[in-house]
Amino acid sequence: MRKLYFLFFICFLFPFLTFSISPEEEEEAMEDTLSTMLYLDSLENSFKYQTGLVKIKDYATIKVPAGFKFLDAEQSIYVLHSLWGNPEDPTILGLLFPEDMGPMHPDSWAISVEYSEEGHIDDDDAEDIDYDELLTEMKKDAESANPGRVQGGYEPIHLIGWAAKPYYDAENKKLHWAKEIQFGDSATGVNTLNYNIRILGRKGYLMLNAIGGMSQLGAINKDIDKVLASVEFTEGYKYSDFNPEMDKVAAYGIGGLVAGKVLAKVGFFGILAKFGKVIILGIGAALTFIWKFFTGRRKNKVDELPENNGQPNLS
C-alpha cells in the first residue's frame, strides 16, 4: 500500500518533467509540494491514539499490544474512506497501527477491527479440513467471479496462494490465515497481502484484517501472537456462553470462514477489493495531480482540501 504515491511523483519524478515549464512554475510547484508535505504531517499529528485496555462496544476488549496504538471507530472510518479512498464502511470499530507509523506514513500498515453477528460458528469441522483442497476451490471461485468484476469496472482478482496456512487454536477459539492476492493482470498486477484473524464468540466473531503489502508479512507474522492475545470477548459474549436454546447457529463452519463464504452478500473477495483498490486510487490521484499541473487547470489548493481542513470531526 502506498497512500502517498502522488508525493513520490512530484518529489522524485519532478526533475524529469520540469523541462517544459518556466522557472516561476517550477518554483510554484515545489512550494505546493512542500505545503502538501507539511499539511500531511499536520494531519498525521491530529489523530488521537489509545493504548492500554480499550473497550469495543459492549462485547469485547482489546489490550493494545506493546508496539501498537489504536485508532477509534470514527477516526478509522475517516482514514479508510476520506484518506485512503475506500467505500465508507460504518462497521469498522477501529484500526491498530504500529506505534512508529500512522495512516500517512508511506510504509504504513494496519489491522482493522470489525464484528460480525452471523451466528455461532460450529467448529466441529476444524480438524477435518484439507486446506490445500480448499485453496484450489477458492481459486476457482475467484476466477469465476472475475468476468463480473471486470464488467463492473473493477480489476480482476487472482488468488495466488497461502501466505500463511490457516491455523485454528481450538482452545482459545481463534483462527488466522493469510492469502497472497493479485489485483489486475499478470503483466501489470499488484500483489497484496490479505491477513485474516477471526475470534469466535457466542453470537458471531470479531474480524481482524491486516491491510498491507507482501513486504509486511514478516512484520505481521512477528507480532501476530501479541495481536491474537490482545483481543477477547467480554463475559456473556464468549464462545462458551453459547446457549443453543436462544442463539442462532451460523450456516457455515471454520472452512466457510476461511473460504470467504461470509462475503457472499457483497460478492466473493468484495471486502478485499476495497483495500486493494487503494493502490490503484493512489496512482490515479498522482496522475490527476500532474495532469492538472501541466495543463494549467489546477484549483486553488485550499479548495482541494477536505472539509474541516482535512480533520475528522471529533466532536
Side-chain angles (χ1 to χ4, degrees):
M1 278 175 32
R2 296 292 186 271
K3 280 73 69 180
L4 303 182
Y5 268 149
F6 69 97
L7 283 182
F8 172 84
F9 273 81
I10 296 299
C11 294
F12 295 97
L13 296 188
F14 186 82
F16 300 99
L17 301 173
T18 54
F19 62 87
S20 62
I21 64 175
S22 68
E24 291 78 11
E25 289 176 317
E26 180 178 349
E27 182 178 357
E28 182 181 355
M30 294 307 293
E31 289 176 354
D32 280 354
T33 301
L34 178 59
S35 177
T36 300
M37 294 177 70
L38 291 173
Y39 165 72
L40 293 177
D41 185 61
S42 174
L43 180 59
E44 175 61 53
N45 292 332
S46 73
F47 294 113
K48 295 178 175 62
Y49 296 98
Q50 296 172 265
T51 56
L53 187 65
V54 176
K55 185 177 181 181
I56 303 177
K57 301 288 188 180
D58 294 326
Y59 41 74
T61 60
I62 177 166
K63 188 175 183 180
V64 180
F68 283 86
K69 54 190 178 183
F70 183 78
L71 204 60
D72 67 20
E74 184 176 2
Q75 295 178 95
S76 296
I77 292 170
Y78 174 80
V79 167
L80 290 169
H81 176 59
S82 299
L83 297 184
W84 289 3
N86 300 293
E88 190 164 4
D89 185 354
T91 67
I92 295 293
L93 301 173
L95 289 170
L96 270 175
F97 283 96
E99 64 181 356
D100 59 347
M101 61 182 67
M104 311 315 294
H105 192 285
D107 293 318
S108 179
W109 60 276
I111 297 175
S112 65
V113 182
E114 297 177 73
Y115 175 65
S116 175
E117 196 167 299
E118 297 281 339
H120 184 79
I121 303 294
D122 189 333
D123 63 353
D124 288 345
D125 65 333
E127 294 183 0
D128 301 325
I129 301 171
D130 183 333
Y131 287 113
D132 291 329
E133 181 179 335
L134 182 61
L135 178 64
T136 300
E137 293 302 314
M138 290 165 64
K139 287 182 176 182
K140 291 179 182 177
D141 286 346
E143 294 301 326
S144 65
N146 277 333
R149 288 185 53 80
V150 173
Q151 186 176 1
Y154 293 92
E155 293 281 350
I157 292 175
H158 308 287
L159 176 55
I160 305 302
W162 299 123
K165 206 165 185 176
Y167 174 77
Y168 180 56
D169 179 351
E171 181 179 355
N172 294 302
K173 308 302 179 185
K174 296 180 179 182
L175 168 71
H176 62 95
W177 73 97
K179 293 174 287 211
E180 181 178 358
I181 297 168
Q182 177 184 297
F183 287 86
D185 296 320
S186 57
T188 58
V190 178
N191 283 24
T192 190
L193 174 68
N194 178 240
Y195 207 117
N196 304 266
I197 300 170
R198 302 291 182 265
I199 300 172
L200 308 187
R202 174 183 175 179
K203 298 182 178 182
Y205 51 90
L206 286 163
M207 301 185 292
L208 282 69
N209 295 304
I211 308 165
M214 287 301 300
S215 62
Q216 285 137 347
L217 178 60
I220 296 171
N221 278 334
K222 179 174 68 69
D223 291 321
I224 191 65
D225 288 339
K226 291 195 298 184
V227 173
L228 282 165
S230 70
V231 184
E232 298 288 350
F233 279 100
T234 55
E235 292 298 329
Y237 293 91
K238 294 179 180 293
Y239 194 85
S240 57
D241 294 322
F242 171 68
N243 185 337
E245 296 181 359
M246 297 175 56
D247 303 327
K248 181 180 73 171
V249 177
Y252 47 85
I254 299 297
L257 272 182
V258 176
K261 301 305 182 185
V262 70
L263 303 184
K265 60 186 177 182
V266 293
F268 188 70
F269 283 140
I271 289 179
L272 305 188
K274 72 182 179 183
F275 295 127
K277 293 297 285 184
V278 167
I279 299 168
I280 307 303
L281 289 167
I283 295 174
L287 293 175
T288 300
F289 185 94
I290 292 174
W291 171 258
K292 287 181 178 180
F293 177 80
F294 284 105
T295 55
R297 290 190 281 112
R298 290 178 299 162
K299 294 181 180 179
N300 183 287
K301 186 172 184 59
V302 175
D303 294 337
E304 292 184 338
L305 299 182
E307 292 182 9
N308 299 326
N309 237 358
Q311 310 298 320
N313 183 359
L314 302 179
S315 59

